Amino acid sequence: MKVGDVHYRSIWRDAATGEVRIIDQRWLPHDFPIATLESLDDFATAIRDMWVRGAPLIGATAAYGVARQMERDPSDAALAEAYEVLHATRPTAINLRWALDEMRNVLSRLPEADRAEAAFAKAAAICDDDVETNRMIGVHGLDIIREIAAKKKPGERVNLLTHCNAGWLATVDWGTATSPMYQAMEAGIDIHVWVDETRPRNQGAQLTSWEMAGAGIPHHLIVDNAGGHLMQRGEVDMVIVGTDRTTATGDVCNKIGTYLKALAARDNGVPFYVALPSSTIDWTVSDGLAEIPIEERDGREVTHVYGRDEDGTARFVQISPDATPGGNPAFDVTPARLVTGLITERGVATPSREGLLDLFPERRSTA
Amino acid sequence: MKVGDVHYRSIWRDAATGEVRIIDQRWLPHDFPIATLESLDDFATAIRDMWVRGAPLIGATAAYGVARQMERDPSDAALAEAYEVLHATRPTAINLRWALDEMRNVLSRLPEADRAEAAFAKAAAICDDDVETNRMIGVHGLDIIREIAAKKKPGERVNLLTHCNAGWLATVDWGTATSPMYQAMEAGIDIHVWVDETRPRNQGAQLTSWEMAGAGIPHHLIVDNAGGHLMQRGEVDMVIVGTDRTTATGDVCNKIGTYLKALAARDNGVPFYVALPSSTIDWTVSDGLAEIPIEERDGREVTHVYGRDEDGTARFVQISPDATPGGNPAFDVTPARLVTGLITERGVATPSREGLLDLFPERRSTA
């Protein structure tokens, strides 16, 4: 998507130098630094410390991390090391494992001399596929928005609510939850987006708001507490969120707080959709609550908030007393029963094993 | 409650000068300024701009505002002016109107010469009654905590979750939701409190955490998003919150986000209690969602966060892009169907008209 007049992806290889570059997302919207990732440790740090985040982008970054490693040392040992180090960075998003598996499957059968080139080609293909996948998620999501818009009176806007950032910054481009929004804008549908700020990391305030402002999509930033009230008042027509891992039965693991919005949507008859590339489906897991590991992050993310002070300096401030520790589970699981539909690149699935297998019949043998 | 070694109330008259003093709560926990309120405008500003907040304390502050006014000008016109100006400060909390009605009922029948003294006496009585009311809420709430504790295995703690600040800073002393916590601590019950930070104003991070730390109650600060997940994992035994207005049918209006926690409590079989003095019951309202006005506050409260920087300076930082407006509804309504019980000074009421009238039979004639 465009930043000013320049079209960016969230990760790319510099055409001249071959270097892998990312937007260091920690400092948005107040700064827009571009970082070059060189060593395996650079890639691991960028994922672990959330220079990049969002399930699809984590996968793409890991793929390039493997490619860089292959360039330095194409041995089996180095491949295994890259897999292990990158896989250990974050436990919840399944795309990380998916991308690493994709890379290893391609590379392990090749002679060492061919691995670096093949690895970069595969990483680039993962990125290109992600872009096309997200474009298609937008096509299918747009159909749902169109249906809602068709029932509106003239002058009434379609109100969407999203949580966290499942935007282009969470993917390679387009985003998952935001792809239908961009396409609805292009189709001339009058949309407005309620952006949950998404504490503790404020991805909504820092990233989704910035994306919305950049694309000129009408939006308001709201606190995570506000969505239920807005649904009670009829101010939300549809919730769309992303996911870090969706089970084979349609349970949705996503940024902490998603479950609360799903409960409110159910209580108020608001459709609750999850947008995801099929690489986010963990076909090996049936019970999201019991089986998906939930990352517990540093309590400092709760007690300290990043922003820009009145002098224009970006800094952290501590919001709580020194004696108060923070508790910081990073994700929660929304049971399939609360989900209206899963918007994938192949269409909208019912959130159930059968619903998913109908769209992905090639999984019937393994599921 | 104690701050260091000194016992404070949240509002008091200075014994030597007769001045009305408050803790200016906007700057906690980083500063602890005491403010003296003189003019009617001082009192209105302190309520409107949230130097004081919390339904019971708003009422107590308004009562002293009327008393100050009577000292200056005990005329009917001045009394009416004080009522109007103070009543207009905040629309949602019903204790404001209740306290003003109490003051007017006492003062309007008195000759002007007697009004100032009677007004200060009545304001002091409202404060003392609030303290005793909250103590009794704690007695009744403690019974519930005792029952939960009795079912625990040795070494297991009782996990409470609270939203916003219904602590002593929201009342004159003890607090509503926190009174059972203090009394459980005194009774030797092993409790732990999950404190919702309560965006946008962060009353949990700034006030409740500070109260918990000051009283040595084990607690963690969590983001408002986390409570549902903790309930899914069995980490919450009971939710206790306060309320700004409860209807005659048991609908509970409280700080934005309360409704989401009530939904999660219901979905996970966690008891959801609301602690309130009976002055918070609006006997004239039956349908909370339709009839209670919800204050819409400045969007800047969403886009800017107060904290202390690394140099120790307390300041605001902007978390979002300049082009992003904030939407800021300040309260929501939790329907009675989601409430387990209403803990009042007279005992625990079923959240229904009959349940409330059983405890407050004197209202049967007017309800």
Side-chain angles (χ1 to χ4, degrees):
Chain A
M1 291 289 140
K2 284 197 169 177
V3 179
D5 290 333
V6 181
H7 187 166
Y8 279 86
R9 284 182 173 188
S10 61
I11 187 167
W12 68 95
R13 255 189 115 185
D14 184 84
T17 65
E19 290 173 325
V20 178
R21 303 234 160 107
I22 59 161
I23 302 164
D24 181 352
Q25 300 184 22
R26 293 173 298 168
W27 316 118
L28 284 168
H30 311 300
D31 285 308
F32 183 75
I34 305 299
T36 300
L37 304 182
E38 282 291 342
S39 67
L40 181 57
D41 189 54
D42 285 351
F43 282 87
T45 299
I47 297 171
R48 187 188 316 105
D49 294 348
M50 297 178 66
W51 304 25
V52 292
R53 15 68 54 209
L57 176 56
I58 287 173
T61 305
Y64 270 119
V66 171
R68 249 306 157 250
Q69 173 91 332
M70 291 298 94
E71 197 175 41
R72 264 187 310 269
D73 176 358
S75 68
D76 283 355
L79 178 58
E81 183 200 15
Y83 191 108
E84 291 310 316
V85 167
L86 293 165
H87 187 250
T89 50
R90 296 196 69 191
T92 302
I94 196 64
N95 304 59
L96 181 58
R97 191 179 79 199
W98 170 86
L100 289 167
D101 285 344
E102 292 275 308
M103 295 299 289
R104 189 166 60 183
N105 290 346
V106 166
L107 300 175
S108 58
R109 340 178 174 154
L110 292 178
E112 292 191 359
D114 297 345
R115 283 181 176 175
E117 189 181 341
F120 276 110
K122 180 64 184 171
I126 285 175
C127 289
D128 289 344
D129 286 353
D130 185 66
V131 176
E132 176 59 13
T133 290
N134 294 328
R135 191 186 68 78
M136 285 309 299
I137 287 171
V139 168
H140 299 304
L142 174 58
D143 289 344
I144 301 168
I145 296 176
R146 264 193 214 287
E147 275 179 43
I148 295 168
K151 291 173 191 156
K152 291 277 176 185
K153 295 184 190 129
E156 282 183 354
R157 63 191 187 179
V158 176
N159 283 298
L160 308 171
L161 184 145
T162 192
H163 189 71
C164 197
N165 175 262
W168 71 268
L169 290 166
T171 64
V172 178
D173 209 347
W174 282 106
T176 54
T178 56
S179 184
M181 298 175 191
Y182 287 119
Q183 299 192 35
M185 275 286 283
E186 283 175 19
I189 299 172
D190 184 14
I191 65 168
H192 167 267
V193 181
W194 300 109
V195 179
D196 275 3
E197 65 173 345
T198 319
R199 286 278 291 145
R201 296 279 302 212
N202 278 346
Q203 289 93 337
Q206 295 182 205
L207 307 180
T208 308
S209 290
W210 181 78
E211 291 176 346
M212 295 288 119
I217 298 179
H219 67 291
H220 278 84
L221 180 67
I222 53 173
V223 295
D224 302 308
N225 286 320
H229 168 77
L230 293 171
M231 291 186 219
Q232 285 179 313
R233 303 275 156 162
E235 295 281 344
V236 181
D237 296 302
M238 175 184 180
V239 180
I240 321 181
V241 298
T243 167
D244 294 82
R245 193 188 307 204
T246 287
T247 69
T249 54
D251 293 341
V252 172
C253 183
N254 191 41
K255 183 57 51 192
I256 191 82
T258 302
Y259 166 57
L260 295 171
K261 294 302 139 62
L263 286 168
R266 172 56 50 100
D267 201 46
N268 293 283
V270 174
F272 183 92
Y273 283 95
V274 181
L276 67 154
S278 58
S279 54
T280 306
I281 303 168
D282 187 345
W283 297 95
T284 70
V285 166
S286 300
D287 182 339
L289 267 174
E291 298 179 60
I292 298 177
I294 299 295
E295 182 177 4
E296 182 79 25
R297 294 183 61 86
D298 191 337
R300 195 180 155 88
E301 292 185 349
V302 175
T303 56
H304 289 67
V305 173
Y306 173 71
R308 194 184 66 206
D309 71 18
E310 58 275 29
D311 302 324
T313 305
R315 56 167 86 231
F316 284 87
V317 294
Q318 178 180 331
I319 60 171
S320 49
D322 291 337
T324 293
N328 190 13
F331 300 91
D332 63 21
V333 173
T334 298
R337 66 184 155 85
L338 299 176
V339 178
T340 306
L342 302 167
I343 309 174
T344 76
E345 68 270 25
R346 292 202 195 160
V348 181
T350 308
S352 66
R353 187 181 298 276
E354 274 310 302
L356 282 166
L357 289 174
D358 282 349
L359 276 190
F360 300 93
E362 70 274 23
R363 291 284 174 171
R364 283 203 183 267
S365 49
T366 59
Chain B
M1 292 288 142
K2 285 198 169 176
V3 179
D5 290 331
V6 181
H7 187 164
Y8 279 86
R9 285 183 172 187
S10 62
I11 187 167
W12 68 95
R13 255 189 115 183
D14 184 84
T17 65
E19 290 173 326
V20 178
R21 304 234 159 106
I22 58 161
I23 301 163
D24 181 352
Q25 301 185 22
R26 291 173 299 166
W27 316 118
L28 284 168
H30 312 301
D31 285 307
F32 183 74
I34 305 299
T36 300
L37 304 182
E38 283 290 343
S39 67
L40 181 59
D41 189 53
D42 285 351
F43 283 86
T45 299
I47 298 172
R48 188 188 318 105
D49 294 349
M50 296 177 66
W51 304 25
V52 292
R53 17 68 51 209
L57 177 55
I58 288 173
T61 305
Y64 270 118
V66 171
R68 245 313 155 247
Q69 174 91 333
M70 290 297 94
E71 197 175 39
R72 262 186 311 269
D73 176 357
S75 68
D76 284 355
L79 178 57
E81 183 201 14
Y83 191 109
E84 291 310 316
V85 168
L86 293 165
H87 187 250
T89 51
R90 296 195 69 192
T92 301
I94 196 64
N95 304 59
L96 181 58
R97 191 180 78 199
W98 170 85
L100 289 168
D101 285 343
E102 291 276 309
M103 295 299 288
R104 189 166 60 182
N105 289 347
V106 166
L107 300 174
S108 57
R109 350 182 164 148
L110 293 177
E112 292 191 358
D114 297 344
R115 284 181 177 175
E117 190 182 340
F120 276 110
K122 180 65 184 172
I126 285 175
C127 289
D128 290 344
D129 287 352
D130 185 66
V131 176
E132 176 59 13
T133 290
N134 294 327
R135 192 186 67 78
M136 285 308 300
I137 288 171
V139 167
H140 300 303
L142 173 58
D143 289 344
I144 301 168
I145 296 175
R146 265 194 214 286
E147 275 179 44
I148 294 169
K151 291 174 191 156
K152 291 278 175 184
K153 297 184 188 128
E156 281 184 355
R157 63 190 188 181
V158 176
N159 283 300
L160 308 171
L161 184 145
T162 191
H163 188 72
C164 199
N165 174 262
W168 70 269
L169 290 166
T171 64
V172 178
D173 209 346
W174 284 104
T176 54
T178 57
S179 185
M181 299 175 192
Y182 288 118
Q183 299 193 35
M185 275 286 282
E186 284 174 17
I189 299 172
D190 185 13
I191 64 166
H192 167 267
V193 181
W194 299 109
V195 179
D196 276 3
E197 65 173 344
T198 318
R199 286 278 292 145
R201 295 280 303 214
N202 278 346
Q203 289 94 336
Q206 295 181 206
L207 307 179
T208 308
S209 290
W210 182 78
E211 291 175 346
M212 296 288 119
I217 298 178
H219 67 290
H220 278 85
L221 179 67
I222 53 173
V223 295
D224 302 308
N225 287 320
H229 168 78
L230 293 170
M231 292 186 217
Q232 285 179 315
R233 303 275 156 163
E235 296 281 342
V236 181
D237 295 302
M238 174 184 180
V239 180
I240 321 181
V241 298
T243 167
D244 294 83
R245 191 185 313 201
T246 288
T247 69
T249 53
D251 293 341
V252 171
C253 183
N254 191 42
K255 183 58 51 193
I256 191 84
T258 302
Y259 166 56
L260 294 171
K261 293 301 138 62
L263 286 168
R266 173 56 50 98
D267 201 46
N268 293 283
V270 174
F272 183 93
Y273 284 95
V274 182
L276 67 153
S278 58
S279 54
T280 307
I281 302 167
D282 188 344
W283 297 96
T284 70
V285 166
S286 301
D287 182 341
L289 267 173
E291 297 178 61
I292 298 177
I294 300 296
E295 182 177 4
E296 182 79 25
R297 294 184 61 88
D298 192 337
R300 195 181 156 89
E301 292 186 347
V302 175
T303 56
H304 290 68
V305 173
Y306 174 70
R308 194 183 67 205
D309 70 19
E310 58 275 29
D311 302 323
T313 305
R315 57 166 87 233
F316 284 88
V317 294
Q318 177 180 331
I319 60 171
S320 49
D322 291 337
T324 293
N328 190 13
F331 300 92
D332 63 23
V333 174
T334 298
R337 65 183 155 86
L338 299 176
V339 178
T340 307
L342 302 168
I343 309 173
T344 76
E345 68 271 26
R346 291 202 195 161
V348 181
T350 308
S352 66
R353 188 182 297 275
E354 275 310 302
L356 282 166
L357 289 174
D358 282 348
L359 276 191
F360 299 93
E362 70 273 23
R363 291 284 175 172
R364 283 202 184 270
S365 50
T366 58

